[in-house]
């Protein structure tokens, strides 16, 4: 069964450094998403991406964040200058055109020290 | 703005007993409702959804959920709990009108603990 994959599973970085989180969505899916889950809190929507551009973004998704689909398979989330409060689990998800349920990857745990 | 409430942080059920995990929602238009399950150190796994039609929807692993429009609820149920059902359960909603670009709004999650 096709799955969303994410790398790395755990990333440790120092405050102020740039990080790139990588995702490979399910191959025939056309909508892509990033969510985050701060430890002990709810899952929060960051951004959606369709047809090579951002479709929707939340208030969390400020100028420090960017997304890109650099090739036909990868979908990346970049945080330009990480802060301590960016420490969270980041989930990628994808959705097939015409479907309603999003499929989530296993997540990347980002720790900012 | 849309929102989801899961009023219970934790639900404890004896194995073999029926279980219910509660969810209420608020959305401007018609809701698309989802339940996801998260096992330790794993991602979110889709369980079931309500889009339209029959108010009782069936999903994976014997779970079902009942959509109640008047009470704006979408409670998750299972007739007979298994120890392996122990996990964190999330209810989520999006507005039907906003299409696939819209992100899901999640509840805070409910820990389901099934005691042998």
């Amino acid at each position: 069964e096709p799955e969303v994959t994410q790398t790395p599973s755990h990333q440790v970085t120092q405050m102020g450094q740039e990080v790139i989180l990588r995702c490979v969505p399910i191959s025939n899916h056309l909508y892509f998403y990033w969510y985050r889950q701060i430890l002990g809190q709810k899952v929060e929507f960051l951004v959606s991406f369709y047809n090579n551009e951002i479709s929707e973004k939340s208030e969390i998704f400020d100028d420090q964040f960017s997304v890109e689909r650099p090739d036909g398979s990868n979908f990346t989330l970049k945080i330009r200058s990480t802060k301590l409060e960016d420490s969270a689990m980041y989930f990628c998800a994808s959705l097939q055109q015409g479907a309603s349920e999003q499929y989530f990857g296993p997540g990347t745990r980002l720790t900012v020290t | 703005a849309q929102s989801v409430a899961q009023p219970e942080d934790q639900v404890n059920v004896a194995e073999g007993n029926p279980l219910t995990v509660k969810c209420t929602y608020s959305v401007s238009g018609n809701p698309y409702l989802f339940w996801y399950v998260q096992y330790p150190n794993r991602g979110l796994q889709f369980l079931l959804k309500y889009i339209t039609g029959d108010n009782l929807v069936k999903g994976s692993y014997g779970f079902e959920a009942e959509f109640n429009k008047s009470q704006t609820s979408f409670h998750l149920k299972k007739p007979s709990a298994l120890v392996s059902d122990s996990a964190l359960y999330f209810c989520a909603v999006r507005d039907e009108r906003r299409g696939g670009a819209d992100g899901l709004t999640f509840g805070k999650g409910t820990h389901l603990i099934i005691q042998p």
Side-chain angles (χ1 to χ4, degrees), chain A residues 31-35 43-49 55-58 93 95 100 102 104, chain B residues 2 32 34 92-95 98-106:
Chain A
Y31 291 91
F32 313 119
Y33 310 83
W34 284 101
Y35 293 81
V43 177
E44 300 172 291
F45 168 71
L46 293 178
V47 66
S48 62
F49 191 86
S55 300
E56 299 276 350
K57 58 183 181 179
S58 71
L95 171 72
S100 53
Q102 297 175 20
F104 285 74
Chain B
Q2 54 204 36
Y32 281 9
F34 306 87
V93 69
R94 73 167 175 87
D95 190 325
R98 296 174 59 85
D102 200 25
L104 297 174
T105 298
F106 284 86

Side-chain angles (χ1 to χ4, degrees), chain B residues 46-107:
Chain B
F46 169 73
L47 269 184
L48 51 76
K49 65 182 178 183
Y50 171 82
I51 303 301
T52 187
D54 197 352
N55 288 344
L56 185 65
V57 293
K58 295 186 184 297
S60 308
Y61 313 118
F63 283 94
E64 56 191 30
E66 186 163 13
F67 171 65
N68 187 317
K69 187 171 183 176
S70 63
Q71 296 185 4
T72 61
S73 67
F74 189 57
H75 301 331
L76 181 69
K77 301 182 181 189
K78 188 173 182 181
S80 179
L82 299 172
V83 172
S84 56
D85 293 331
S86 298
L88 182 58
Y89 290 80
F90 290 97
C91 182
V93 69
R94 73 167 175 87
D95 190 325
E96 172 207 19
R97 299 173 301 177
R98 296 174 59 85
D102 200 25
L104 297 174
T105 298
F106 284 86

Side-chain angles (χ1 to χ4, degrees), chain A residues 80-96:
Chain A
R80 263 181 267 285
S81 177
T82 50
K83 309 184 200 62
L84 293 176
E85 54 265 38
D86 292 327
S87 295
M89 182 74 90
Y90 288 81
F91 293 107
C92 174
S94 67
L95 171 72
Q96 189 174 21

